Each structure stands twice: as C-alpha cells, then as structure tokens.
Amino acid sequence: MNNEKRLLIFERLAEATPNPTTELNFSTPFELLVAVVLSAQATDKGVNKATAKLFPLANTPQAILALGEDGLKEHIKTIGLFNSKAANVIKLCQTLLEKHGGEVPREREALEALAGVGRKTANVILNTAFGEPTIAVDTHIFRVANRIGLAPGKNVLEVERKLDKTVPKQYKKDAHHLLILHGRYICVARKPRCGACCIADVCEFKEKNLD
C-alpha cells in the first residue's frame, strides 16, 4: 500500500468519525488506567457498567486501597477475570502511591512496570490520557491493519511498528481510535460490512462482502 492510499484512508475515516475517542468512561488518567486494566478480555460496555458504581465511591489509589481487594471484587465481579484484575488494581495502586505520589506516570517504562499493564495498555494511557501519538494494537486494529493491507504483520508489535512508521503524521494521535472504531463497527471479524464502508474502494481486502 502506498502513502497516497494511506492518507486517503485516514482522511475518510476521520471524516466518518470527527471526534474519535475511547468508549470507556473516565474523567481522570487514574480512572482510565483502572478501566483499561479491567477491560482486558471484557467489553467496554461491561466495564462502564461496573465503574459507574465504583468510581463515585473510589476513584483514587488511596480510596481503592481503602476498599481492599475483597471490597473491589464486589464492585467488579460482573467483569471476566475479576479476581486477578482486582489483585492487579490493588498492586498498581500501591505502586502509584509508593513510587509516583499517587499520580499516573507519563513514561512508558513506568507504566509497563505497573501490575496488569502491558505495552498495549501503556500505549492507550499515553495516547488517550496524555495525548501522545502512540498506537495501541488490539485485536480490532490487528485485524483491520492486516485485512485492508494498511500495515500487515504477524504479531501486534510488528503491526504497531509498521503503523508507527507509515500513518500520516497529522493522523498519528487519532489513528488508534479511528482504527479501533472502524474495526468494532464496520470491519468486523466475521462478516465485514463492506457495503457500509467509507474506504471499501481503496481497501486491499480481496473477499469484500458488498451485500
């Protein structure tokens, strides 16, 4: 895929979604961090339902530690893997207080050192909370990047590096959300909605579903 086509793809995606952002509800970097950790292998909708009750009671590291692990579990038990997620959130709260004055760090290395936080989560925080032009590659973005020929790669890191190198500069900050929303609602896994797609004519997917 050439740069001209890439630019056209992002122009159209940006036109279709003028204000792309996460579908997780949050009002502070800490709330976003907790929500993203909870969202692993869970839906944003399910996480939002749980955090709608959790955050009014506890939305700082101190307040969540005051709930305790069992208290936290009560609030997130509707989310998959809630036992291990509760343990990770408690640990990351302790680390934030011990090493970062209770604030979410803005450095990738410090973020990745937190319990339950990997490269993808760190990228989401850097991008969505702090406006950095990072691209977190989740299953939607991995699928879209490979399927449409935008940044083919065998693993998420390969796709991330290709996107980082080839996404037009002016779309770098929004690329993560533009691609994730496109993958979530249009370029879906089983039966992509090519007939409703704004980039169908420039996409390199050979088996288009134009019904």
Side-chain angles (χ1 to χ4, degrees):
M1 184 174 284
N2 60 36
N3 289 336
E4 196 180 341
K5 199 182 270 190
R6 283 193 187 93
L7 180 59
L8 189 56
I9 283 172
F10 279 102
E11 280 174 352
R12 290 197 195 163
L13 291 177
E15 199 178 320
T17 311
N19 300 298
T21 189
T22 180
E23 292 185 309
L24 289 168
N25 295 334
F26 74 99
S27 56
T28 65
F30 177 72
E31 286 187 0
L32 178 65
L33 176 60
V34 171
V36 176
V37 169
L38 295 179
S39 73
Q41 296 176 54
T43 65
D44 288 0
K45 197 175 175 182
V47 172
N48 287 339
K49 204 172 173 182
T51 57
K53 293 176 181 174
L54 171 66
F55 288 158
L57 289 174
N59 70 341
T60 64
Q62 296 93 327
I64 283 186
L65 286 177
L67 278 180
E69 196 169 322
D70 289 337
L72 178 58
K73 282 180 189 176
E74 275 303 304
H75 287 92
I76 65 168
K77 62 186 178 185
T78 53
I79 301 171
L81 309 175
F82 73 92
N83 283 316
S84 58
K85 288 176 182 178
N88 281 333
V89 170
I90 292 292
K91 280 182 202 158
L92 75 80
C93 287
Q94 288 166 338
T95 306
L96 290 178
L97 288 170
E98 287 165 12
K99 296 189 175 177
H100 305 287
E103 298 294 318
V104 176
R106 294 185 71 141
E107 300 77 36
R108 175 189 299 286
E109 200 178 328
L111 284 166
E112 288 188 31
L114 298 170
V117 178
R119 185 178 180 85
K120 183 179 79 174
T121 297
N123 276 340
V124 172
I125 303 304
L126 290 169
N127 178 264
T128 308
F130 300 123
E132 301 283 341
T134 54
I135 302 171
V137 178
D138 71 344
T139 52
H140 295 298
I141 295 176
F142 184 75
R143 178 179 68 254
V144 171
N146 275 289
R147 181 186 272 165
I148 73 173
L150 186 66
K154 290 174 188 170
N155 55 56
V156 290
L157 192 56
E158 201 177 318
V159 169
E160 184 193 322
R161 284 179 177 152
K162 281 192 181 177
L163 287 171
D164 197 44
K165 204 180 283 184
T166 59
V167 170
K169 197 176 178 184
Q170 63 269 44
Y171 294 107
K172 208 78 168 287
K173 184 176 164 291
D174 287 335
H176 167 72
H177 291 117
L178 287 171
L179 292 172
I180 205 171
L181 293 169
H182 187 66
R184 191 171 281 171
Y185 296 109
I186 302 292
C187 200
V188 294
R190 290 189 181 173
K191 209 174 175 187
R193 301 175 56 221
C194 303
C197 179
C198 63
I199 58 168
D201 59 321
V202 287
C203 153
E204 295 182 357
F205 181 46
K206 291 190 174 93
E207 300 157 40
K208 289 190 174 71
N209 169 41
L210 294 167
D211 297 340

